[in-house]
Amino acid sequence: MKSPLLLFITLVLVLAGSCPCPAAARDGKPNVIVIYADDLGWGDLGCYGSPTISTPHLNRMAAQGMRFTDFYSAAEVCTPSRAALLTGRYPVRNGMCHETYRVLRRNSKGGLPKSEVTLASVLKQQGYRTGCVGKWHLGHLKEHLPPNHGFEEYFGMPFSNDMMPAPDAPKGREKMFFEDTSLWRTPLIRGLDVIEEKPDQRQLTKRYTEESLKFIEKNKDQPFFLYLAHTFPHVPLFASEAFKDRSRAGLYGDVVEEIDWSVGQILDGLVRLGIDNNTLVVFSSDNGPWTLFDSHGGSAGPLREGKGSTWEGGMRVPGIFWWPSRIASGITRHETASTMDVFTTVTKLAGATPPQDRVIDGRDIAPLLFGSDRSPSDDPFFYYRGPDLYAVRIGLWKAHFITRSSYGPDKPAPHDPPLLFHLGEDPGERWDRAAKYPEVIERMRQAVAKHRANLVPAASQLIETE
Ligand code: MG
């Protein structure tokens, strides 16, 4: 007969081995995964009405979670958008809209200022393991790379996949359409070091997915934050053999369908590891579709224009939140929310306090995600192009003080009174209602004045010459 001590030890070991409660060790802190597509349009997913691109996994993510119809990136192009996501601040505050080109180009020397606090830094301080996979584009010199902004691990490209054409690549716009990966040499980096000078871009989505799954599996027993920023569907487009010539939407559809597959792999991996109920997954895009590239650019659906513009198509993007144990399934939200809100909401979920020494623009949208708060938000959302405020939205009204087409030769056109659109009856921004609603315009002006009064643009750490 076993001694009571032996029985006790056996019981403890059995219980320890069978306990499905990693949450106990994590002190209530959820894992967080942000999946960020590049130049994916509002209308490019099945669950957002695409008639041709098949996205069963993102559709499932939305059906099991929450889909926002009025979700915004805080900028109309890559770099400031990413800075806003990771700092919870309008780019005008974190310095990434001023002289953005100093970061955007391959010979730039600038980067996200060291004084900025990223979501990765906040979560790392809370005991999270932090990893970044994919496109960075917040400065590619070593001192600006993810490991110097709170990420313990990094695997990916330092900037856009079109930024380093091979010396023998054709010049001009046409090269963007060539399906030859050898024309490009944007490198792959691990940690702080280049590991491949000329990676095969057809394999990127698959490799990013494998890296992400490895990171998740390795850290499954403790809280982790994974930022998976896909290189695609930014042009030039590349899909792996398994996805090539599969979509009715051509190569653009192939590329988006491979990203959709990747999302499915991540969600299935979380379920397989038994951590789906401890994990918040967010899916979004850094800006609207690059319509300049015809069929190789995406679609903003019914929204006007695309990337590079403060019309809705430039900044309204897909926004899907998934967390099986906390977010009720199949909910569609029409309240205005933004990528900056991810910063504040996740910071609080992790038990931290957002930085108090600076203005944080992101709001805590936990009441929207987890509760029954369906009241329309009256908080204004501001549309910037570079350092200039172009438009503001409050509720369903949007006023444009300046307009300019995405990539056309036209100069910025100021409007006084501003153009006024009702995004409920007119999501395509076609019918100016300014003459009929002066009181709405007055409200917009007051919101802008209040916003400007507390606007202290970041001291520029970007005063560097190229
Ligand atoms: Mg982009």
Side-chain angles (χ1 to χ4, degrees):
M1 195 175 165
K2 289 176 179 171
S3 72
L5 179 62
L6 196 57
L7 279 172
F8 176 74
I9 292 171
T10 307
L11 183 65
V12 167
L13 288 174
V14 167
L15 284 175
S18 63
C19 179
C21 50
R26 58 181 59 247
D27 201 20
K29 294 172 178 151
N31 306 312
V32 178
I33 301 176
V34 175
I35 306 174
Y36 214 40
D38 194 352
D39 297 2
L40 179 80
W42 188 93
D44 283 330
L45 306 180
C47 52
Y48 281 83
S50 171
T52 47
I53 302 176
S54 173
T55 56
H57 300 291
L58 281 155
N59 298 353
R60 166 175 49 124
M61 183 178 170
Q64 294 174 349
M66 184 174 288
R67 183 180 71 96
F68 283 81
T69 58
D70 294 46
F71 194 75
Y72 289 91
S73 165
E76 79 295 2
V77 290
C78 301
T79 291
S81 158
R82 287 150 203 275
L85 168 76
L86 290 178
T87 65
R89 285 148 61 79
Y90 283 110
V92 72
R93 295 196 207 277
N94 61 36
M96 295 307 276
C97 66
H98 300 276
E99 311 288 356
T100 294
Y101 68 90
R102 294 183 194 278
V103 175
L104 279 170
R105 293 180 182 171
R106 68 172 183 260
N107 55 353
S108 302
K109 294 190 173 69
L112 184 65
K114 292 199 183 341
S115 54
E116 289 299 313
V117 178
T118 69
L119 184 55
S121 301
V122 170
L123 295 181
K124 193 175 165 190
Q125 275 212 327
Q126 293 300 111
Y128 278 62
R129 307 315 303 259
T130 55
C132 174
V133 174
K135 170 175 164 176
W136 178 240
H137 215 178
L138 290 172
H140 53 267
L141 299 186
K142 283 190 179 182
E143 61 264 36
H144 301 306
L145 286 173
N148 288 314
H149 279 293
F151 290 100
E152 295 165 313
E153 297 184 27
Y154 175 52
F155 172 82
M157 286 187 163
F159 39 57
S160 303
N161 63 331
D162 66 329
M163 283 174 57
M164 285 189 74
D168 56 341
K171 305 294 175 211
R173 176 178 184 271
E174 284 309 305
K175 68 174 174 291
M176 298 292 212
F177 294 91
F178 291 155
E179 298 172 24
D180 180 355
T181 183
S182 71
L183 294 178
W184 306 98
R185 51 172 194 172
T186 300
L188 264 178
I189 291 176
R190 188 178 292 284
L192 295 171
D193 302 313
V194 171
I195 55 168
E196 290 176 40
E197 298 278 359
K198 206 170 170 180
D200 181 348
Q201 293 205 19
R202 293 169 299 187
Q203 306 304 320
L204 279 184
T205 300
K206 196 164 149 238
R207 294 180 70 182
Y208 288 173
T209 307
E210 288 166 357
E211 284 288 328
S212 297
L213 289 170
K214 259 190 255 171
F215 176 85
I216 292 168
E217 180 139 19
K218 187 170 69 178
N219 296 301
K220 67 181 190 306
D221 295 326
Q222 58 206 305
F224 63 79
F225 170 49
L226 171 65
Y227 171 44
L228 166 54
H230 282 288
T231 283
F232 301 115
H234 192 289
V235 291
L237 300 173
F238 294 102
S240 70
E241 208 49 47
F243 289 87
K244 196 86 196 321
D245 301 323
R246 209 176 83 158
S247 172
R248 285 196 294 150
L251 181 56
Y252 185 87
D254 295 338
V255 168
V256 174
E257 290 182 13
E258 187 157 15
I259 289 173
D260 179 70
W261 162 83
S262 172
V263 171
Q265 292 291 300
I266 302 286
L267 299 185
D268 290 347
L270 296 171
V271 172
R272 190 174 60 247
L273 294 169
I275 53 173
D276 49 322
N277 283 327
N278 290 334
T279 307
L280 168 66
V281 184
V282 181
F283 180 90
S284 192
S285 175
D286 69 335
N287 51 252
W290 211 353
T291 53
L292 199 61
F293 291 100
D294 307 335
S295 64
H296 283 213
S299 165
L303 308 178
R304 185 163 170 177
E305 290 232 12
K307 175 179 178 175
S309 144
T310 50
W311 296 101
E312 286 295 286
M315 293 173 64
R316 203 196 293 191
V317 289
I320 306 173
F321 290 69
W322 182 92
W323 184 356
S325 67
R326 292 289 310 274
I327 298 177
S329 60
I331 293 180
T332 300
R333 286 283 195 216
H334 299 297
E335 289 84 351
T336 305
S338 85
T339 55
M340 296 181 292
D341 298 338
V342 172
F343 177 92
T344 303
T345 307
V346 168
T347 294
K348 291 192 172 177
L349 285 171
T353 304
Q356 301 294 299
D357 61 346
R358 64 199 68 201
V359 175
I360 301 291
D361 297 293
R363 304 162 307 151
D364 181 4
I365 58 168
L368 284 178
L369 295 175
F370 311 129
S372 54
D373 181 0
R374 295 191 69 85
S375 59
S377 167
D378 273 345
D379 295 337
F381 177 79
F382 300 99
Y383 303 67
Y384 278 91
R385 184 160 167 160
D388 300 318
L389 194 156
Y390 269 44
V392 58
R393 171 177 176 167
I394 301 177
L396 284 168
W397 289 107
K398 177 176 176 185
H400 290 263
F401 297 93
I402 308 173
T403 55
R404 187 181 182 188
S405 62
S406 299
Y407 286 89
D410 59 317
K411 291 198 170 8
H415 302 284
D416 190 8
L419 306 178
L420 183 70
F421 298 99
H422 188 276
L423 297 175
E425 63 182 27
D426 182 21
E429 299 174 279
R430 290 171 292 176
W431 308 306
D432 179 14
R433 302 297 198 211
K436 200 172 167 191
Y437 295 98
E439 74 283 4
V440 175
I441 288 180
E442 184 49 34
R443 207 169 138 218
M444 300 298 208
R445 289 191 199 281
Q446 286 173 12
V448 169
K450 192 174 166 196
H451 172 68
R452 286 201 163 122
N454 82 351
L455 194 63
V456 183
S460 175
Q461 274 87 346
L462 305 177
I463 310 296
E464 299 168 21
T465 52
E466 287 188 49

